[in-house]
Amino acid sequence: MTHHDDVAASLEQLLESLIKMVGRANKNNDNLQNKITEINENMNNQKKRISQLEWIMKGQLKERDWSPIRTYPTHHHTQTPSEIHDHISHF
């Protein structure tokens, strides 16, 4: 009868071990699901921000088309940068 008791005890230990393993797997699964939810929320927030930035950029492009920047001719300096620097340093 002791052989049957040993087998029964071994099976009981195996069952307990399997139950613990399933519990840990379920806990890991819950943690992964929470992480996936968090990542999806972050991605949605980033997509929203990208959409906002695209909208702003389109608005700026339209505004630029409506009122283009005017460029005016600049005075041409006949002096070199070092001559200008020398002239400024004398003041």
Side-chain angles (χ1 to χ4, degrees):
M1 186 91 162
T2 57
H3 177 67
H4 290 300
D5 291 340
D6 291 342
V7 171
S10 294
L11 288 174
E12 187 177 348
Q13 286 178 346
L14 179 61
L15 182 59
E16 287 177 12
S17 177
L18 288 172
I19 290 170
K20 288 178 185 178
M21 288 174 64
V22 169
R24 283 192 296 265
N26 285 337
K27 184 177 178 181
N28 288 341
N29 186 42
D30 289 344
N31 289 339
L32 288 174
Q33 287 296 333
N34 290 339
K35 276 288 190 192
I36 289 170
T37 301
E38 182 181 331
I39 288 169
N40 285 336
E41 287 174 359
N42 287 341
M43 285 182 59
N44 289 336
N45 289 339
Q46 289 176 350
K47 286 178 183 178
K48 182 178 178 182
R49 184 66 179 143
I50 288 169
S51 177
Q52 291 171 340
L53 291 171
E54 288 173 341
W55 183 81
I56 290 169
M57 288 174 61
K58 287 177 185 176
Q60 289 178 343
L61 289 174
K62 285 181 183 177
E63 185 177 319
R64 185 186 68 184
D65 291 342
W66 292 333
S67 58
I69 298 172
R70 294 186 176 98
T71 56
Y72 298 97
T74 58
H75 176 64
H76 180 67
H77 296 285
T78 56
Q79 296 172 321
T80 65
S82 62
E83 290 173 332
I84 293 171
H85 179 269
D86 291 341
H87 179 71
I88 292 172
S89 62
H90 290 298
F91 288 104

